[in-house]
Amino acid sequence: MNLVIASDHAGYAMKENVKKYLLEQGHKVIDCGTDSEASCDYPIFAKALCKEINNGAAELGILICGTGIGMSMAANKVKGIRAAVCSDYFSTKFTRAHNNTNVMCIGARVMGEGLALELIEVFLNTPFEGGKHLRRVNMLED
Ligand code: RB5
């Protein structure tokens, strides 16, 4: 898949490891930063990632900050973006299946890397169900 990833300083270490994993799995990955653990402002990186989805360069995105919450708030301000904080199996699966979520937000201070990678696999491999859910997602866009 064509993917895009970004983080702030709190998510930087996890972003680097997730990116490595995704590349090993054969995905293409655009990295929108940040590039170090120096303190930075997560909305900048969320905005950059959303641009890559809206211009068609990437199908799905992964945002990582301390909690995942600030990134999700920032991403959901952008039209066309449906971002969700994913920290458990059920929510991760059904936010893809029912909400057609296109940006997964992860809290690097909330979960370990092992769980993050498992949930990323669920996110990437769960299709949108469409049907009545498409009507609802369209209502969100309106
Ligand atoms: C950074 O300290 C932290 O506030 C940020 O990574 C994120 O958790 C915000 O939602």
Side-chain angles (χ1 to χ4, degrees):
M1 295 178 82
N2 292 327
L3 304 173
V4 57
I5 194 166
S7 74
D8 70 356
H9 54 287
Y12 173 72
M14 182 180 278
K15 172 176 73 72
E16 291 301 300
N17 290 330
V18 168
K19 182 172 68 175
K20 182 170 176 285
Y21 171 80
L22 293 171
L23 290 170
E24 284 168 2
Q25 300 302 307
H27 298 287
K28 288 186 178 171
V29 184
I30 300 168
D31 185 346
C32 291
T34 185
D35 299 324
S36 76
E37 289 184 339
S39 184
C40 61
D41 301 327
Y42 58 83
I44 294 169
F45 301 95
K47 187 176 180 183
L49 177 140
C50 293
K51 191 173 168 190
E52 297 299 333
I53 291 181
N54 280 339
N55 72 18
E59 188 181 337
L60 296 174
I62 299 170
L63 284 170
I64 309 174
C65 65
T67 59
I69 295 171
M71 284 293 201
S72 71
M73 289 177 166
N76 277 317
K77 299 282 185 193
V78 180
K79 189 164 175 60
I81 299 300
R82 293 171 301 281
V85 179
C86 297
S87 48
D88 67 277
Y89 171 84
F90 190 89
S91 303
T92 304
K93 178 168 179 168
F94 284 94
T95 200
R96 275 292 301 135
H98 289 185
N99 310 129
N100 200 14
T101 293
N102 51 13
V103 177
M104 174 183 194
C105 302
I106 297 172
R109 292 173 177 164
V110 177
M111 72 173 77
E113 197 177 294
L115 178 57
L117 294 179
E118 288 295 313
L119 295 181
I120 286 168
E121 284 297 335
V122 172
F123 186 76
L124 299 183
N125 290 298
T126 303
F128 178 48
E129 282 179 17
K132 65 187 177 188
H133 302 295
L134 178 59
R135 182 178 72 245
R136 295 163 184 164
V137 168
N138 286 341
M139 290 169 80
L140 286 177
E141 295 303 315
D142 290 344

